[in-house]
Amino acid sequence: MRTKLIAGNWKMHKTVSEAVALIDALYAALPTIASDREVVVCPTFTALSAVAARPRGAIGIGAQNVYPESHGAYTGEISPAMLVDIGCRYVIIGHSERRALFSESDAFIAKKAAAVLAAGMTPIVCVGETKQERESGRAEAVVLGQVAGSLAGLQDRLADVVIAYEPVWAIGTGLTATAADAQTMHAAIRAELRRIGGAAAERVRIQYGGSVKADNVDELMAQPDIDGALVGGAALVAEGFARIANYR
Ligand code: PEP
């Protein structure tokens, strides 16, 4: 039985005081969390310490990015140890926005995932096809290629990785994959994980992301290979995110 993971990606939103107000509102809206799930929020770097320092309920803290070196001349970057130091347990890696806007390759994402695991945190490795790739019938090949490339060399640590399947055309657009289409891709991802790491694939949590909202989360979470959600826009409103975290 895989513990579902509901994670909120706050992206480049919220000043420190706004982020603290949001986590406080979330603790109020979500006083308890069911034992079959984990809830995590991923604020911006500037707000991470302040959010992590709030009275802790059961909500975990994650970062949205990391640099895969321990220290050194990497202006503007943040190391895994710095994230551990402030209480981070998760790191989103290879989000489609970083792949597209910052040209992050599968190989670089695999380096980041290895560094996050070595620091004792859990990488949330994002994969997903564009609209054009789906329309040309290449969605599965693209996604499975990203899975294999982004996990290169990590076959022995597979069970400690989270995958987020986020079709790019569904992110921030209000469009969502149907629960059946999402399940089909999640099952294909799990088959690829079996090929890479054998039985450990059954323990890998595969989140769905892309316009997850209160009105579609229940059906998505009912699918056998959907093990949680990575939530963008809807994570910025405490009551809405609490409703998603309380999916049935
Ligand atoms: C995301 O950016 O990871 C995401 C899923 O965004 P949204 O929920 O807004 O589509």
Side-chain angles (χ1 to χ4, degrees), residues 152-169:
L154 298 177
Q155 54 278 3
D156 295 337
R157 298 296 313 270
L158 216 55
D160 302 317
V161 171
V162 173
I163 305 279
Y165 167 57
E166 301 201 300
V168 177
W169 48 269

Side-chain angles (χ1 to χ4, degrees), residues 206-228:
I206 308 175
Q207 298 177 300
Y208 173 78
S211 299
V212 174
K213 299 184 279 290
D215 60 10
N216 59 22
V217 68
D218 295 335
E219 197 186 357
L220 286 162
M221 291 310 115
Q223 305 304 312
D225 286 293
I226 299 186
D227 307 312

Side-chain angles (χ1 to χ4, degrees), residues 7-94:
N9 172 11
W10 293 2
K11 306 198 187 189
M12 198 174 74
H13 294 289
K14 307 291 177 189
T15 61
V16 174
S17 60
E18 290 167 347
V20 167
L22 179 54
I23 190 68
D24 286 353
L26 189 55
Y27 281 130
L30 199 60
T32 56
I33 295 171
S35 59
D36 62 349
R37 63 199 71 180
E38 272 181 86
V39 177
V40 168
V41 294
C42 303
T44 57
F45 283 135
T46 53
L48 266 175
S49 282
V51 169
R54 297 311 284 175
R56 302 290 281 275
I59 298 174
I61 306 296
Q64 299 174 19
N65 188 28
V66 71
Y67 194 74
E69 295 292 342
S70 59
H71 60 274
Y74 303 103
T75 302
E77 297 296 331
I78 304 281
S79 75
M82 292 168 183
L83 297 178
V84 170
D85 186 43
I86 56 167
C88 273
R89 287 170 31 220
Y90 289 88
V91 187
I92 298 171
I93 291 175

Side-chain angles (χ1 to χ4, degrees), residues 9 11 92 95-97 126 166 170-175 208-212 230-235:
N9 172 11
K11 306 198 187 189
I92 298 171
H95 191 280
S96 62
E97 289 152 14
C126 301
E166 301 201 300
I171 293 180
T173 59
L175 301 172
Y208 173 78
S211 299
V212 174
L230 184 54
V231 183

